[in-house]
Amino acid sequence: MKSKLLAVTVAALLTTQLTGCMGQMGLSKMVTKGNLSAVDNRYARAGLFMLLSPVYGLAATGDMFIINTIEFWTGKNPITGQSPAVVDMPVDAIFKVNPHVPSDLKTAPVKLTKAEIAYPDAQTVAMTLGYEDGSTQLLSGRKDGENVDFYLDNEFIARVSNQELIAYGESRLQANAQPAA
């Protein structure tokens, strides 16, 4: 019995050591996407991450020892369906750094310290956002037929249909109504 266990252990170690484990980590990406899709709140996502930590561990182990091995030998990841394999790609295709990014985008944004809502008229909602550095911005939404136009400091930023807003609101209500695990 001990010799069979030793043989299986040695075979498993040799198999994983001889194949390379660099890959796209498709299973891990699926778990992360599921976590990020489940809730839209950083604290809830962090809590869900803690609850799912065993799942992340299993997914990473499965990626490293099974999925990425298949990717290595076949040249295609069976989870993502993407090819070529990571080990066959030039480094520039994997890591792209834009040297022209402005310096203000390289630091974390300032924190929001206040949000005051006003209703200037029946078609408009306006929110004054205050930040820890003392600056403010005006975020407003104006109903225009079947759509709502959003502006930041009176500059148009997005148009969303009423149906999209309703669906988003309902999904947020459902997410908030689910009991915490």
Side-chain angles (χ1 to χ4, degrees):
M1 180 66 172
K2 286 184 180 182
S3 62
K4 286 184 181 181
L5 180 61
L6 180 62
V8 169
T9 303
V10 169
L13 286 172
L14 286 176
T15 301
T16 59
Q17 297 302 313
L18 296 176
T19 61
C21 63
M22 292 181 60
Q24 299 172 32
M25 303 299 283
L27 284 175
S28 298
K29 286 180 183 177
M30 285 175 55
V31 174
T32 300
K33 183 178 179 183
N35 181 352
L36 296 176
S37 300
V39 292
D40 192 20
N41 174 296
R42 67 185 307 224
Y43 301 105
R45 286 177 174 169
L48 190 56
F49 171 79
M50 295 300 289
L51 292 172
L52 290 176
S53 59
V55 177
Y56 277 94
L58 291 171
T61 302
D63 274 329
M64 287 180 62
F65 296 114
I66 300 169
I67 304 301
N68 291 349
T69 302
I70 294 169
E71 178 182 338
F72 178 84
W73 288 108
T74 65
K76 182 177 181 180
N77 187 291
I79 300 295
T80 65
Q82 296 177 346
S83 62
V86 169
V87 294
D88 297 328
M89 298 171 73
V91 73
D92 292 344
I94 299 169
F95 297 104
K96 296 180 182 175
V97 177
N98 182 351
H100 307 291
V101 173
S103 61
D104 63 333
L105 294 179
K106 294 180 183 179
T107 58
V110 293
K111 292 182 182 176
L112 187 66
T113 58
K114 75 171 183 171
E116 297 173 352
I117 298 176
Y119 300 92
D121 58 56
Q123 302 296 315
T124 307
V125 60
M127 182 183 302
T128 303
L129 306 170
Y131 299 94
E132 67 182 358
D133 67 354
S135 65
T136 60
Q137 288 185 303
L138 178 65
L139 176 64
S140 59
R142 179 148 183 85
K143 189 171 182 182
D144 181 21
E146 292 299 314
N147 299 307
V148 176
D149 293 335
F150 288 94
Y151 299 87
L152 186 61
D153 289 336
N154 296 319
E155 184 175 328
F156 177 77
I157 56 172
R159 171 172 280 173
V160 181
S161 73
N162 290 333
Q163 291 81 13
E164 289 173 303
L165 287 173
I166 291 167
Y168 178 76
E170 289 172 351
S171 70
R172 299 296 303 142
L173 286 173
Q174 290 174 353
N176 291 333
Q178 295 177 357

